[in-house]
Amino acid sequence: SIYFTEPGAHRVRRLTGGALWTVVGTYGSSGSQDGDLGGAPTPTLNHPWDVAVGPDNALYIAEFNGARIRKVDAARTQLTTIGGDGSTSSWNCPFVDGTNWTATQGAYGAKLASGIRMSESVALDVAADGTVLVARKNGIFSIGADGVLRLVAGNADGTGPGCQSTVGDGGSAFDAGLGVLTDVTIGPDGSLYASNDKISFWAASGRIRRISA
């Protein structure tokens, strides 16, 4: 099966055996309602931008406008929110929740992903252990089974090269600027590959970066 998003229609579709189905969402109706698929009230999405299938066969969805990471269980019966509280934040650094976090490895003060601003999440992928990797603005984050958000790559506090720059090759992933991210994927060796299309609205960039496992 092939799963894909329809951002403007606020839904995720499935193509299988020549037939097209809607997995979750209602055409033209945006929202943040969790719940039983096919139940009432109807579960809704808000501008879903990317979808990935996890090792447990669940679907993970990044919402650009909805500022949430959503999950559809393997049985395709439930929609839940696993990251983001629906709050949005400005374009510039810092890009987590309005606090100037220091870009160090590990949990952000054990902050749960459900309480973090995840606006403008553009891409995600799921590791073999079920960890969800999210590309959002100028950083890559992980959401583990414990529900804690962790920085994986990106200069979160705006020091050093600056989080919207694209310098820092060969150094720590936590000191590198990632530009404005457009995609992230996990390679077979566990390395991450991320793309960006620009440093700012006015300056072109366009690179693919590798974060070693």
Side-chain angles (χ1 to χ4, degrees):
S1 296
I2 298 172
Y3 293 91
F4 62 95
T5 63
E6 291 183 337
H10 310 293
R11 58 186 180 178
V12 172
R13 314 294 298 280
R14 176 190 179 202
L15 179 63
T16 181
L20 184 63
W21 306 86
T22 296
V23 178
V24 60
T26 301
Y27 180 82
S29 178
S30 66
S32 58
Q33 180 68 48
D34 288 337
D36 296 333
L37 300 183
T42 303
T44 50
L45 301 174
N46 187 351
H47 215 82
W49 202 258
D50 196 17
V51 60
V53 182
D56 56 354
N57 202 38
L59 297 182
Y60 297 86
I61 304 162
E63 293 184 329
F64 189 87
N65 288 352
R68 290 177 171 88
I69 307 300
R70 318 291 293 277
K71 176 182 178 180
V72 177
D73 65 342
R76 307 292 185 259
T77 60
Q78 284 276 336
L79 175 67
T80 56
T81 298
I82 65 167
D85 59 6
S87 301
T88 59
S89 57
S90 64
W91 180 267
N92 295 321
C93 316
F95 51 73
V96 180
D97 66 350
T99 303
N100 283 296
W101 295 101
T102 300
T104 55
Q105 188 174 11
Y108 273 46
K111 277 186 169 290
L112 295 181
S114 59
I116 296 291
R117 296 178 179 180
M118 297 301 293
S119 57
E120 298 179 27
S121 296
V122 296
L124 47 70
D125 202 358
V126 188
D129 65 356
T131 299
V132 181
L133 283 300
V134 182
R136 175 185 179 264
K137 291 191 175 181
N138 318 110
I140 299 173
F141 298 90
S142 69
I143 301 173
D146 56 4
V148 174
L149 187 83
R150 292 174 172 86
L151 178 69
V152 176
N155 185 250
D157 59 7
T159 61
C163 65
Q164 291 194 45
S165 74
T166 55
V167 301
D169 284 358
S172 168
F174 304 104
D175 294 330
L178 296 181
V180 181
L181 292 165
T182 58
D183 202 2
V184 64
T185 191
I186 304 169
D189 64 347
S191 295
L192 300 183
Y193 296 86
S195 63
N196 68 283
D197 68 346
K198 54 190 175 182
I199 298 174
S200 69
F201 284 116
W202 305 276
S205 177
R207 290 183 178 184
I208 296 176
R209 315 288 290 282
R210 177 178 179 265
I211 300 101
S212 57

